[in-house]
Amino acid sequence: MQLTFPNGEHENVPLQGEVTVGSRSGSRVCLSASGLAPLHASFVQDRRGLWLRVPPGVHGVHLNARPVRRLAQLRPGDLVCLDKLRLQLKADDQPEIDRRIPASQPAAMNEAQRVSASRVVLRGLTGQHFGRSYTLTEPRLFGRTASADIRLDDAAVAERHAVIELHADRVVLRALGNDTSLVNGVAVRDAVLSPGDQLSIDQHRFVLEAPGLPHRGQLAGQRPVAATHTQTLKAVRVPVAEDPAPGRQEAPGKPASRRDPGALWWLIAAATVLAASITALLVYAPRIGG
């Protein structure tokens, strides 16, 4: 992962271990004239992922236009603002974005496909769409027009900016004009999206959540399988041990369980003695008391 600076304030920085950003000398990214605090923030990589840490008392830290007070997890395409400084995260070895999209819109889904596809959602990360999720069982129109499925109320956004579609196991971004969008910080018009991708249209940001869909590069060199759909699981044959059939004899060499007839007679004798004792007690007890 790399920390990039869209406005050119600093060269790209590999995100390994801890990368500190501030105005004090000795910071990994030292920008003394930027108005930052001596230690404004740090980027920490550990086994759980990449994190943005904000020291106590520091303000003006935003992740995808949302304020961060202490800690936030990061992913490729995230935009971090430290006061007026803009930083963007980009993956080192992320496969190239596929810009070859189908010429036509997706075919209508049947009921089973709609249920299966309902887990593929676009979730808002900023602004009026923060926290909202949009399923892709139908194509979704982005734009400023009142009829847009995902309306972006921003003068910088076209009336009909783009549409996002679900084609079997591929999520497609299709431009409707000459305007571009950003996928993980890369400017595109048309693109095939993968799980975890961040889509940015001006200041509006979304993340694709698509469990079960192939990640970028996973199907490189392979043809998509026809008539498949996302979230479709193939039946798996699991070996199950057979129950013994009625009357089946035990395997040779294995000692058969036998009942001891002597033990049964001892139980009968003990029960007989116990019954005789109780009878004698009931018959002779009153005479003894008399």
Side-chain angles (χ1 to χ4, degrees):
M1 196 92 73
Q2 291 189 11
L3 195 62
T4 66
F5 299 79
N7 297 326
E9 297 90 345
H10 197 279
E11 61 183 6
N12 293 353
V13 177
L15 288 171
Q16 299 175 350
E18 182 176 9
V19 175
T20 55
V21 181
S23 59
R24 72 183 182 190
S25 60
S27 297
R28 178 63 182 84
V29 178
C30 178
L31 299 171
S32 56
S34 61
L36 299 179
L39 175 58
H40 208 97
S42 60
F43 298 81
V44 182
Q45 179 84 47
D46 63 18
R47 61 182 179 81
R48 299 172 300 167
L50 181 63
W51 302 86
L52 171 64
R53 289 182 180 174
V54 181
V58 173
H59 303 283
V61 178
H62 292 79
L63 171 61
N64 301 327
R66 305 290 299 183
V68 179
R69 304 299 182 194
R70 182 183 174 190
L71 187 69
Q73 191 167 21
L74 302 172
R75 66 179 73 192
D78 278 341
L79 179 66
V80 178
C81 294
L82 307 181
D83 199 10
K84 297 180 181 179
L85 178 67
R86 293 164 60 93
L87 311 95
Q88 192 158 35
L89 279 73
K90 291 187 178 180
D92 294 323
D93 55 353
Q94 182 172 321
E96 185 178 354
I97 297 173
D98 187 358
R99 309 187 189 204
R100 299 167 298 176
I101 65 172
S104 59
Q105 293 186 350
M109 299 181 189
N110 59 36
E111 189 61 29
Q113 290 174 332
R114 291 179 65 87
V115 171
S116 177
S118 63
R119 295 178 60 192
V120 181
V121 299
L122 201 65
R123 181 168 58 85
L125 295 178
T126 61
Q128 68 195 83
H129 299 285
F130 175 75
R132 299 183 62 182
S133 295
Y134 300 91
T135 61
L136 302 182
T137 52
E138 302 288 347
R140 295 282 190 173
L141 171 65
F142 292 96
R144 199 173 72 249
T145 178
S147 61
D149 300 288
I150 304 177
R151 189 182 181 195
L152 307 179
D153 192 10
D154 192 328
V157 178
E159 290 281 331
R160 295 170 56 85
H161 178 89
V163 65
I164 191 167
E165 306 162 346
L166 180 59
H167 292 253
D169 283 348
R170 292 189 298 170
V171 178
V172 168
L173 175 69
R174 188 188 305 275
L176 298 179
N178 295 322
D179 297 314
T180 61
S181 307
L182 295 180
V183 175
N184 298 339
V186 179
V188 297
R189 293 185 65 252
D190 303 325
V192 176
L193 305 182
S194 300
D197 279 352
Q198 287 203 33
L199 171 65
S200 303
I201 301 175
D202 198 54
Q203 298 298 317
H204 307 275
R205 303 175 69 83
F206 304 85
V207 62
L208 177 64
E209 296 179 348
L213 262 66
H215 291 266
R216 179 167 297 114
Q218 184 175 337
L219 296 180
Q222 301 179 10
R223 291 186 177 183
V225 179
T228 60
H229 210 280
T230 179
Q231 310 306 322
T232 301
L233 298 179
K234 295 183 178 179
V236 178
R237 185 181 297 275
V238 179
V240 179
E242 289 187 2
D243 293 330
R248 178 180 294 181
Q249 296 182 353
E250 296 183 6
K254 183 177 180 181
S257 60
R258 297 180 179 178
R259 295 182 179 178
D260 185 3
L264 180 60
W265 287 111
W266 276 109
L267 289 174
I268 294 175
T272 303
V273 173
L274 180 61
S277 300
I278 295 175
T279 302
L281 180 64
L282 293 175
V283 172
Y284 296 106
R287 296 182 183 180
I288 295 172

